[in-house]
């Protein structure tokens, strides 16, 4: 693969063979059970989570069970993401992705063939373990193989592929709802196995992350890998400059890789690891608690059970909403490296808060056709402003923060069926308030990462006089290749200073 594809062709191969199928599996299975759980053929096999033929206390009890069954995927993903804190740097990026792909295949087979809740839940947890591992390892591997200029767009591609998973899931579920029997839901659950197989059979055709190879001391392999991704000869000066910058960065942070050191080491203050950790955790919290996962997983339920639409109309509208979300995600693709991450988050956070506020008001009217239409419109508007540009750090923090992502994802999926049945429209107030906090938090605490190299950004967190100065310092960082040159020059200057000191001591 390295011999056949280099530069842009290699990046395209990485996107098509690994990134796209991995995140389609992510989105497909996260959204998958929402539409299926309203099928009669489904509740006949799993009557303990039947919420369409029950009422009152029995419905409330089944709603809790339904949330737990659907949320078991997110719970598995939580532990899968956390496992990357020790697997990611030990196995490498590719082996971790391979393991995640295998687990998703096993989980999908188990849940597709299930005739009882225990087997189904076990399969869903195993599937979640694999998706959780891939949700950490794939973005880290991707970002470590990507130039600063295009890293933002590549991260947005992850979100686009998740949306594509939502789209495929909803339209396939709708189409197969017209057949009879258990195949209505077994075939949709089996479809995503194909994408997992693509990941498993493709991952070792692509080069390992050059930054991970440098970390484990395989410099020659790292040089070849980086040269392949840049489309340059192995002996090109630009390749060696960036390898030198990576080595310099690793030398200054090698003792800060352990998660435990974030909270126990005296060096935590020097590296501002706790501050960075909190940024990761807060970002993943905002991603889930802004209401995006609520809409993606339960949009068909909202249309059918809360807005009192017919089953077919609810499924068509939910599929259209996911398709609209997929189309709108391309806005971030073209805007992410023009407007920057901060502006996109501020605009989208404000927009989501407005949409959730309107949904709160319109859903407070019972059996009002006009209010239902307005609610549907603002669900579509919400998909327009929903952000898909998460900032990624390296494996240790990424694993913990992504684990936090899955934790809140589980909370939303578990609580939503019960909340919609009990407090109704008031449930949206929570998401309106949280979304309103996003632009404020981003403005004060999140540095711009657009077109900034990973290594200089790392130095900003360490060298800023106070945490309040980090945003302004990041704004003045050199961008693109200039940043890489600066890192390399800094490495040379450091080496020269060490040589002078040695001579003086001699």
């Amino acid at each position: 693969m390295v011999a056949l594809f280099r530069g842009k062709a290699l990046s395209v191969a990485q996107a098509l063979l690994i990134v796209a199928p991995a995140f389609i599996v992510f989105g497909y299975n996260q959204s998958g059970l929402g539409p299926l759980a309203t099928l009669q053929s489904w509740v006949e096999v799993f009557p303990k989570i039947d919420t369409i033929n029950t009422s009152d206390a029995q419905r409330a009890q089944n709603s809790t069970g339904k949330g737990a069954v659907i949320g078991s995927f997110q719970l598995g993903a939580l532990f899968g993401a956390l496992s990357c804190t020790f697997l990611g740097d030990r196995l490498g990026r590719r082996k971790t992705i391979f393991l995640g792909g295998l687990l998703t295949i096993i989980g999908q087979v188990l849940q597709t063939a299930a005739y009882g809740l225990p087997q189904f839940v076990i399969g869903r947890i195993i599937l979640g373990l694999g998706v959780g591992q891939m949700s950490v390892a794939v973005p880290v591997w991707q970002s470590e193989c990507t130039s600063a200029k295009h890293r933002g767009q590549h991260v947005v591609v992850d979100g686009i592929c998740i949306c594509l998973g939502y789209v495929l899931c909803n339209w396939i579920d709708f189409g197969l709802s017209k057949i009879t029997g258990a195949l209505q839901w077994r075939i949709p659950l089996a479809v995503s196995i194909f994408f997992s197989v693509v990941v498993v059979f493709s991952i070792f055709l692509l080069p390992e992350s050059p930054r991970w190879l440098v970390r484990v001391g395989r410099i020659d392999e790292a040089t070849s890998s980086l040269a392949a991704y840049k489309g340059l000869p192995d002996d090109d000066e630009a390749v060696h400059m960036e390898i030198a910058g990576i080595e310099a960065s690793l030398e200054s942070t090698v003792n800060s890789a352990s998660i435990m050191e974030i909270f126990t080491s005296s060096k935590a203050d020097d590296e501002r690891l706790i501050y960075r950790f909190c940024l990761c955790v807060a970002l993943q919290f905002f991603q889930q608690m802004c209401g995006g996962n609520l809409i993606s997983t339960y949009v068909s339920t909202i249309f059918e059970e809360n807005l009192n639409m017919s089953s077919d109309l609810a499924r068509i509208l939910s599929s259209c909403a996911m398709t609209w979300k997929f189309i709108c995600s391309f806005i971030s693709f073209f805007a992410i490296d023009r407007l920057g991450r901060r502006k996109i988050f501020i605009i989208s956070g404000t927009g989501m808060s407005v949409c959730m506020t309107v949904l709160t008001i319109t859903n407070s009217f019972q059996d009002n056709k006009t209010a239902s239409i307005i609610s549907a419109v603002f669900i579509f508007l919400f998909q327009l402003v929903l952000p898909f540009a998460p900032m990624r750090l390296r494996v240790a923090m990424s694993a913990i923060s992504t684990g936090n992502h899955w934790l809140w994802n589980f909370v939303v999926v578990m609580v939503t069926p019960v909340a919609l049945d009990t407090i109704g429209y008031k449930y949206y107030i929570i998401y309106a308030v949280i979304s309103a906090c996003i632009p404020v938090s981003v403005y004060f605490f999140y540095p711009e990462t657009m077109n900034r190299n990973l290594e200089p950004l790392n130095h900003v967190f360490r060298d800023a006089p106070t945490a309040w100065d980090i945003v302004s310092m990041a704004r003045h960082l050199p961008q693109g290749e200039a940043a890489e040159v600066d890192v390399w020059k800094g490495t040379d200057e450091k080496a020269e200073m060490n040589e002078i000191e040695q001579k003086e001591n001699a």
Side-chain angles (χ1 to χ4, degrees), residues 27-167:
Y28 192 99
N29 287 285
Q30 179 167 292
S31 179
L33 290 195
L36 298 181
T38 58
L39 294 171
Q40 286 293 341
S41 60
W42 168 271
V43 298
E44 287 173 4
V45 178
F46 307 113
K48 291 184 178 179
I49 55 174
D50 179 4
T51 60
I52 58 176
N53 302 313
T54 55
S55 59
D56 301 328
Q58 186 62 51
R59 178 186 171 92
Q61 181 180 340
N62 288 4
S63 293
T64 303
K66 176 182 175 180
V69 170
I70 295 177
S72 61
F73 167 76
Q74 280 78 9
L75 197 60
L78 166 63
F79 290 103
L82 293 177
S83 71
C84 289
T85 58
F86 55 89
L87 289 179
D89 284 333
R90 285 173 174 79
L91 297 182
R93 314 312 186 222
R94 295 187 304 173
K95 289 181 180 178
T96 303
I97 295 169
F98 177 79
L99 177 60
L102 278 181
L103 289 173
T104 61
I105 292 174
I106 295 170
Q108 288 168 116
V109 169
L110 285 174
Q111 71 172 13
T112 301
Y115 280 91
L117 276 180
Q119 178 183 338
F120 188 86
V121 171
I122 291 172
R124 197 142 176 85
I125 290 173
I126 294 174
L127 170 60
L129 284 170
V131 170
Q133 289 180 343
M134 291 196 296
S135 70
V136 174
V138 172
V140 171
W141 178 56
Q142 185 187 17
S143 69
E144 291 181 342
C145 299
T146 303
S147 66
K149 181 179 180 181
H150 300 293
R151 189 177 301 119
Q153 289 182 344
H154 285 197
V155 171
V156 173
V157 167
D158 300 349
I160 291 175
C161 293
I162 293 173
C163 286
L164 181 56
Y166 294 154
V167 172

Side-chain angles (χ1 to χ4, degrees), residues 8-30:
K8 291 183 178 179
L10 181 54
S11 296
V12 170
Q14 183 189 49
L16 293 180
L17 295 177
I18 306 299
V19 176
F23 281 98
I24 287 173
V25 170
F26 180 138
Y28 192 99
N29 287 285
Q30 179 167 292

